[in-house]
Structures are given as structure tokens and as C-alpha cells.
Amino acid sequence: MAIFIPEKPKSRDSQGENRALTMLEKLSDDWFVFHSVAWAAPKNYKKAAQGEIDLLVFHPQKGILIIEVKGGTISTEKGKWFSLAKNGAKHEIKNPVQQASDNKHAFRQHLKERLNDELLKKLVIGHAVWFPDCASPISHENYPLDWKPQWTLFNDAVYNPEAALSVALDVWYEQITAQFGKTKIERKLTREETEMVVQATAPTFSAIPVHNVGAQLREMRFVRLTENQNRILDYIEDADYIAVYGSAGTGKTLLAAEMCRRFAAAGEKTLFLCYNRLLKNRVEEYRKLLSPEEQKFWDVFTFDGLALTLCALKPPVQSNLAGWQEVKNKLLQHLKTGGAFPYQHVVVDEAQDFQDDWLKALKKRALNKFVVFYDPQQLVYDDKSELPKFFESAEIKLKLPYNMRNTAEIAQTGYSFARIKPKLLAHISGPKPKFYVYENENTRIEKVREVLQCWRECYTPQSIMVGFLGTKPAQYKLDIYKFADGTSPIIDTVLRMKGLEAAAVILPEADLSKLKIKTQRNKLYVAATRARHELAIFIRKPDPNVLKLVCESYEIEFLDDVSGFSSYFEGELID
């Protein structure tokens, strides 16, 4: 599907434009569709002070087509254009051919002010008219003398809009080539040139660095996709216990938070529960967007935090495993003996991290709905290798099938560690994940700094994650991950990153020698799938024949004197 800018375009004034926009949804991912592109007169343009382009379609290998759309029945008589209303009244309208031509020349003048001459030479810019409510005439003999049939689209373009647009642009290519005596115009734009054209066309991108436009456009696609997940909420009205399974990036936390929001909006006291403090903080930020009245009906806790609150406890003096286990035991006793529990609904995210007795105690105390969201591939604690059996008793079991967070390349790479294949609702492509194989620690540090600084030019510090598969290094060692401007990315262990996401993720110390251990593979799966757009993984020179990635959507760079792709990536993962 084409990338639409704005994301959900809709004309308030023209049903014809809306029908044309619907038809253009059939275009492939390579096309950009801009709707209602308003412009003020550029320099040296005296025909009009301002104007608006109905539709502007852009293909990096074909060019730009400026389209004037006219709905209803259209006719031309003695040089005048008319539109026929439903009541039979005929109204004279502006010449759409001239409107399209004027818009094209004004837009090209704007591009001259924003793009370099070499790029402009590669751009084929043409204009066309589209009558989406009219059938194509059998004869072309009554077309205006300055017009070509190939520049006119009718209702039949709905069957193959890509072919119709391509034909129009090809005709313009031939005419421009002949007009300027050129034998060939190189129409294929690079990725950077494509982003420059998009930036010049859409003013909303003017504050974004050129190299980040691709990520911004992918974000627009992700937003559209995640909206589809809300439909699942319609299926849970009549059940009290629902178990929702979804792999990484399928929208579990988004759905869990939206479910809580709906309960709170209805004035029903709701508890959102998870095991991860950082995930809890993220959902708290979502909760803060609600009105003060709605916030009163929604609490967000970790299991430990709920224990401290309901049992009126203080954190253990010594923050160790034994101390927190005692806190959890007191909460379980509190729940089983009828202690205060003011919640109608309980929603548990990352429920695979919970124990059976925790879930059973919470379920018994929930007055209405009890919903758990889980992913068996995210069992990453060494002492926990099986899902809670309690999930089996759910009245309704739902599966979120589609990955909606990651680009196709990141999903394929990340899922490969867990031995599963991603299912993508739409193929959103981005930069390939990068593997860096190194021997020397100093080389690794310098390369990590280089990658982070490059990302910092594209993303904010809080949209970049540095993840560790083991324990978090001492604070003084973390200074190497700071950016040149003194800011820092999010730095933590993979265990604490569960449920979170970032634009870019770097794993600076990935140990691939333990891939035969399921929990280690799961950690890599969790870590890699936190990334929406970019992923970098650093691995020390592995033993030959240890690793074979089950996908091809990555790039690899050998640092130091490490070389020989085949000798390091021939083997298979060991069960």
C-alpha cells in the first residue's frame, strides 16, 4: 500500500477526491500520495498568489504527477468546462487541464528553491486530470487539442491505478526527453534523494533531519496498523477470563492499556499489573493522558509495588531476593484471606513472568474481568521455563497474529532467535540490522560510539536503547555509551526492557556462545524486537560453525582482522 501524506486523507468538499484516494490504496509501497498540497506563489511566479494541488503522486523511479480531480459528470463545449449536478443543472467550472498545468509549474518552481539542480534533472514532473465518476470515452477525437488521452484518468483506473499513473508518467518522460533533445533522463532516485523530495513536498517534515524522514514515514505506517488491533476488544464483552497470546511487537501492551482506559472511562476501578518497573512507568505515562476523573479509576503497579501498597509495607531494608519474596508472600496471604482489593477488573501484561499461585489469587479477587497478555518466547528467567498452567483455564483464548512494531528486516532477524517466523500485516521495510564481529575490546568501544553518535543525529536520546543480555555494567563503564552532547540513551538489561520499545537498539555485548540455551535465545529475541527501525548487535569472534542465522535480512561487518563469512556462519543452532 502506498504511503499517504497526510496519513488518513479525506476531502471535506469533494466526494470525487475521496473516491480517487480510495482507488490509490491499491498502489504498491513504492508510491507516495500527497493530498491537498497547498502552495503560495514561489519566486518569479505571477499567475496566481496561491493554489492547491488535489493529488500529487510520486514514485522514486517514475516521477511526479500533479493531478486535478473532478467528480460528477464532466463535459467540455466550445472551450468551456461544465459539471452536471444530480438534479440535472449544468455549472461552468474552471478548466481542470489548465488548473493541473498551473499547479505543476508552481510546484516545479518551489522544488527549484528547495532541491539541487542535479536532482531536479532526474525528476519527471507531469500533470493529469482524473474524472473518477466518469467512464472512459470510446473515441479520443473530441479531446482538447493541447491534451493527450494518456493524461486523463477515468473510473476504470480503479482496476489498476498503478498502470494508469505509470502510463501517464511515461508519456511525460517521452515528451520531456524529446522537448529538450535528450536521449535519456535518469529517473531512478536514490533513497536520500527520495527523502529530499518528500521533505520538500510535505512541510510537516521541515523540522526533521533529511536522513530521518524514512523513519518518520515508517512511524506513520505503524500508527495506521496498530489501529486494527482495537477490533479485538469487541470480542471480550461476555467473558470474565481472557488469555491473549502475541509474539513481540503484536501490540499486547497497547491493547492492555487501551482496555484499562475503556474500563476507567466507564467509571470501573481497574488494575494494570506487570513485573517490570520500566514497563510500569511507560504505562503510567499513557495513563497521565487521561482526564483526572478517569485516572482515579485506573491504578498501575508492578507485583511488588502492589504488595507494598495493599499490605501497607515498606521496601525490604536489604533489597535482595529473599526480602522481596517475603513481600510477595504477604500479598498472597492478603489476597487469600480477604484483604482489601478495590478492583473490578485486573489486566496483567507480560503474564508469562507471573507464577501460577499469583494468577490464581488475583483471579479470585477480580470482581469482573481478568485478562492476561503473554508471550511464551519471552520466558527469559533461568528459573522459569514453562508457562503458568493457569492460562489453560481461560474462557476465551485469543492470538494477536501480526507484528506491528518492527520493520520486516528487524522482525525476521529478531524472531529467528526464537525459532519462529513473523507474520506481517504489511511489509514495512527499513535499514537492515547490522552485526559487528570483533576481537579487540577497544575496537568494539569505538565502533559502538560511532553507531550511537550516528543514531543521535536521527533520534532523541530516549528513543535509543542500549541493552545487556547479562547484568548491567558498573556505572563508570556506562560512560562510553553517552553521546557527544552529554546526553544518554536508555541503558538497561534485557530483563528490564521487556514490554518496551525504541526507535533504535544496540546490543554491545551479545554472547552467541550460549545459543543452545533456550532462555539465552529468548533474551536475544526480546532484545532485538525492542527496535522499531534500527538494530546493531556486537558479537565477539564466535567459534566456527556455531551460528547460522535463519534469515537473510541483516548485514555483517568484520572488525579488527576478523574475516571469512562462511567459516563463522555455516553451522546450525543447537537444541
Side-chain angles (χ1 to χ4, degrees), residues 102-287:
D102 291 345
N103 280 331
K104 178 186 71 173
H105 291 297
F107 179 74
R108 184 175 181 83
Q109 193 64 32
H110 268 295
L111 290 186
K112 284 184 178 180
E113 299 174 8
R114 290 166 169 79
L115 303 177
N116 60 64
D117 291 339
E118 289 301 312
L119 176 51
L120 275 174
K121 290 178 182 178
K122 298 171 69 174
L123 274 178
V124 171
I125 305 176
H127 60 275
V129 293
W130 194 351
F131 308 129
D133 299 324
C134 300
S136 177
I138 298 175
S139 173
H140 296 155
E141 61 186 22
N142 292 329
Y143 273 78
L145 296 178
D146 62 344
W147 200 241
K148 291 182 181 293
Q150 298 91 332
W151 300 345
T152 311
L153 285 69
F154 294 91
N155 180 264
D156 55 6
V158 67
Y159 299 109
N160 195 343
E162 188 153 353
L165 297 175
S166 298
V167 167
L169 284 169
D170 287 344
V171 172
W172 276 110
Y173 169 75
E174 293 170 3
Q175 177 163 319
I176 293 172
T177 301
Q179 180 179 351
F180 294 97
K182 298 178 180 178
T183 58
K184 181 180 179 182
I185 297 176
E186 176 56 56
R187 291 196 283 177
K188 186 175 181 180
L189 304 188
T190 66
R191 179 181 171 186
E192 291 74 21
E193 290 172 334
T194 299
E195 292 173 350
M196 291 173 70
V197 173
V198 171
Q199 177 180 324
T201 306
T204 53
F205 291 100
S206 60
I208 300 172
V210 171
H211 45 255
N212 197 30
V213 172
Q216 181 70 13
L217 294 175
R218 289 191 296 273
E219 285 292 343
M220 294 167 62
R221 299 287 303 283
F222 285 135
V223 170
R224 179 172 68 237
L225 291 174
T226 53
E227 289 175 353
N228 291 296
Q229 292 295 54
N230 285 330
R231 298 174 184 173
I232 201 170
L233 298 176
D234 298 333
Y235 293 95
I236 65 171
E237 293 297 326
D238 300 324
D240 290 333
Y241 176 24
I242 305 104
V244 183
Y245 158 63
S247 300
T250 54
K252 297 187 297 298
T253 299
L254 177 73
L255 267 179
E258 174 61 17
M259 189 176 293
C260 291
R261 185 198 67 78
R262 292 190 180 190
F263 292 150
E268 300 167 352
K269 191 70 173 178
T270 303
L271 170 66
F272 176 96
L273 205 58
C274 61
Y275 196 66
N276 180 342
R277 181 174 58 82
L278 293 180
L279 174 56
K280 172 252 183 187
N281 293 343
R282 176 193 171 195
V283 176
E284 277 278 18
E285 292 300 315
Y286 182 93
R287 174 181 171 273

Side-chain angles (χ1 to χ4, degrees), residues 206-402:
S206 60
I208 300 172
V210 171
H211 45 255
N212 197 30
V213 172
Q216 181 70 13
L217 294 175
R218 289 191 296 273
E219 285 292 343
M220 294 167 62
R221 299 287 303 283
F222 285 135
V223 170
R224 179 172 68 237
L225 291 174
T226 53
E227 289 175 353
N228 291 296
Q229 292 295 54
N230 285 330
R231 298 174 184 173
I232 201 170
L233 298 176
D234 298 333
Y235 293 95
I236 65 171
E237 293 297 326
D238 300 324
D240 290 333
Y241 176 24
I242 305 104
V244 183
Y245 158 63
S247 300
T250 54
K252 297 187 297 298
T253 299
L254 177 73
L255 267 179
E258 174 61 17
M259 189 176 293
C260 291
R261 185 198 67 78
R262 292 190 180 190
F263 292 150
E268 300 167 352
K269 191 70 173 178
T270 303
L271 170 66
F272 176 96
L273 205 58
C274 61
Y275 196 66
N276 180 342
R277 181 174 58 82
L278 293 180
L279 174 56
K280 172 252 183 187
N281 293 343
R282 176 193 171 195
V283 176
E284 277 278 18
E285 292 300 315
Y286 182 93
R287 174 181 171 273
K288 291 177 182 177
L289 299 176
L290 306 184
S291 67
E293 183 64 22
E294 289 176 325
Q295 291 185 41
K296 291 192 302 185
F297 291 97
W298 181 9
D299 289 341
V300 181
F301 285 109
T302 62
F303 193 73
D304 292 334
L306 182 67
L308 297 178
T309 300
L310 288 186
C311 302
L313 301 174
K314 294 182 179 180
V317 176
Q318 290 187 339
S319 187
N320 54 33
L321 185 62
W324 283 108
Q325 186 58 50
E326 180 62 25
V327 169
K328 294 181 178 70
N329 290 338
K330 289 183 178 180
L331 173 59
L332 290 177
Q333 186 65 21
H334 175 90
L335 295 173
K336 292 176 180 178
T337 57
F341 192 78
Y343 302 106
Q344 287 179 256
H345 311 292
V346 177
V347 177
V348 183
D349 195 15
E350 300 293 339
Q352 73 279 346
D353 296 338
F354 281 53
Q355 297 177 8
D356 260 316
D357 54 348
W358 301 0
L359 295 169
K360 290 178 182 178
L362 289 164
K363 170 64 175 65
K364 287 182 178 180
R365 296 303 306 276
L367 296 176
N368 197 334
K369 294 191 184 299
F370 184 73
V371 188
V372 295
F373 292 80
Y374 68 99
D375 178 4
Q377 276 74 42
Q378 294 195 45
L379 287 167
V380 295
Y381 296 98
D382 294 332
D383 61 343
K384 196 173 191 301
S385 59
E386 299 294 335
L387 283 174
K389 296 185 181 300
F390 186 65
F391 293 166
E392 298 174 2
S393 62
E395 297 173 62
I396 293 181
K397 297 177 183 178
L398 298 173
K399 181 177 181 179
L400 303 179
Y402 298 110

